[in-house]
Structures are given as structure tokens and as C-alpha cells.
Amino acid sequence: MPATKAQQKAVSKYMKENYDEIKVRVEKGRRDKIKAHAEAHGESVNGFIGRAITETMKRDDQQQAPSSEPDK
């Protein structure tokens, strides 16, 4: 059963209030490879991209953290 106009409006309002959108452009053919990879790992494309961003940011932050060892 298709969503009613009221339901569509409610979902649209919720999405606008709770999410930011980022458009990602990839070379032709790469989208299908990304989708296949995500599905092979039990994720949606959005979930995979979100995880990739989170893990990369965490790794980058760890690399930039000052060392607790004194300089020699």
C-alpha cells in the first residue's frame, strides 16, 4: 500500500529535522562495486559510507594525537 501524502510529508519533515545530506559522486561503475561490497558485508550503501567515514576519522585522530612518550 503506497504511503499517503500525509505520511510522505511527515517523513520528509522528520528527515529534514534530523539528518544532513551529503552528495557523493563516484566514477561510472564504481557505485555498483560499492553497493556489492556493502551488501557482502550486510550493510546498506549509506551505512557502509558512514562507517568508512567514522573509522577513517577515528584513525586520523589517533595518528594526530600527541605521543605520551618524551622526545629523545
Side-chain angles (χ1 to χ4, degrees):
M1 183 164 146
T4 65
K5 288 193 185 270
Q7 288 171 321
Q8 291 172 348
K9 186 176 178 181
V11 168
S12 179
K13 180 182 177 197
Y14 175 83
M15 295 292 285
K16 192 174 203 173
E17 290 175 351
N18 293 283
Y19 293 94
D20 288 325
E21 290 187 26
I22 300 172
K23 189 171 196 166
V24 178
R25 296 179 192 270
V26 295
E27 294 174 355
K28 287 275 187 189
R30 191 152 184 228
R31 178 183 60 187
D32 293 335
K33 290 178 183 178
I34 292 168
K35 184 177 180 185
H37 180 87
E39 288 175 352
H41 291 83
E43 294 180 294
S44 66
V45 171
N46 193 67
F48 168 64
I49 291 171
R51 181 173 60 84
I53 291 168
T54 299
E55 289 179 4
T56 301
M57 290 174 68
K58 192 179 294 184
R59 184 189 68 223
D60 290 350
D61 289 345
Q62 289 173 349
Q63 289 175 352
Q64 291 177 358
S67 174
S68 59
E69 295 182 24
D71 291 337
K72 294 181 182 180

